[in-house]
Amino acid sequence: MALRPDEFYDHARAAADGELRLPLARMTGWEISPFEPEGLRVAPLRPPTLPEPERHGEDPANCDPCRDRDEGIWFGERWRLARITGVGVPLVLMLFPRDHYDMADLPDEMAAELGVLTTHIVRHVQALPHVSRAHVYRIGDGAAHLHVWFFARPEGQAQLYGSWLPVWDDLLPEYPADVADADAVAVADALVTSYGGRRRATDEQTHV
């Protein structure tokens, strides 16, 4: 059984200093870290917040992804794919179920579809020129409606390897939107060919 919230907090506090600051993570010493360890410090550890605040869309009636179920660049019967704008890496896509499910709620048939769809999307993102890797993330702390992130890691940028990529994405200048739009269309077209579904017409394109 996992530690209770108070037990976890006490366990973490034991490793913190007098200001409740934990030591810098080993990750900050990696050569791919976007930050130099000198002068960097950890924010003070805060006590547990209970009960946890509701995530966006806990009530499906107020869920933005449910409202936007017909928005995106690609659509299947039960899934849709959208391009996220304002990012720094070459392409960020997000996969949603069109109806209101979180990951733990998915029926087995949709869970199987998610695995196959994820593989196809990764394959097509990595087939784009000058993209070396597609990173896949599911977090779920901010919203109750399942959303899976796909980040395209640019070719040759070894400093953007691994788990720091979303942080680098937030630091980089905005990537040219016309290039990202064209690459998103290429992924959507490839997905139609390999998996099925349909791509939204170019003049109907919408982004998240």
Side-chain angles (χ1 to χ4, degrees):
M1 180 184 298
L3 297 176
R4 297 190 313 266
D6 60 310
E7 292 175 328
F8 182 90
Y9 180 62
D10 289 343
H11 170 73
R13 280 186 63 178
D17 65 17
E19 295 183 327
L20 296 181
R21 298 181 192 276
L22 291 164
L24 288 180
R26 293 185 300 276
M27 292 171 61
T28 57
W30 295 354
E31 63 179 9
I32 60 173
S33 171
F35 307 112
E36 296 179 348
E38 185 178 352
L40 193 64
R41 64 179 186 171
V42 179
L45 186 67
R46 293 191 290 267
T49 300
L50 295 171
E52 292 190 3
E54 281 197 353
R55 299 175 297 170
H56 172 78
E58 293 284 6
D59 179 357
N62 300 319
C63 176
D64 287 344
C66 286
R67 183 200 66 206
D68 297 336
R69 70 187 313 274
D70 296 319
E71 304 295 335
I73 61 170
W74 172 89
F75 302 90
E77 180 182 352
R78 289 180 283 267
W79 300 90
R80 67 182 179 93
L81 188 67
R83 180 173 91 75
I84 306 300
T85 58
V87 301
V89 297
L91 188 64
V92 176
L93 302 175
M94 189 175 283
L95 180 67
F96 303 87
R98 297 182 73 187
D99 293 328
H100 193 78
Y101 292 103
D102 202 348
M103 181 169 276
D105 308 324
L106 286 178
D108 286 351
E109 182 181 8
M110 288 188 68
E113 291 174 350
L114 175 60
V116 175
L117 259 174
T118 297
T119 298
H120 281 246
I121 295 167
V122 166
R123 184 179 299 153
H124 301 322
V125 170
Q126 291 184 173
L128 294 170
H130 311 305
V131 168
S132 285
R133 208 80 62 228
H135 291 203
V136 182
Y137 304 93
R138 180 267 171 177
I139 302 167
D141 279 335
H145 193 121
L146 174 62
H147 51 292
V148 180
W149 297 82
F150 296 82
F151 279 71
R153 201 261 294 160
E155 181 182 23
Q157 295 296 326
Q159 203 173 2
L160 274 60
Y161 279 8
S163 49
W164 280 115
L165 180 62
V167 180
W168 278 110
D169 171 69
D170 203 40
L171 296 168
L172 290 164
E174 184 173 345
Y175 195 81
D178 57 339
V179 180
D181 278 336
D183 281 344
V185 167
V187 170
D189 283 340
L191 194 56
V192 170
T193 300
S194 70
Y195 184 85
R198 66 179 179 87
R199 175 170 69 82
R200 194 178 187 114
T202 303
D203 60 356
E204 299 178 305
Q205 290 290 339
T206 57
H207 311 126
V208 173

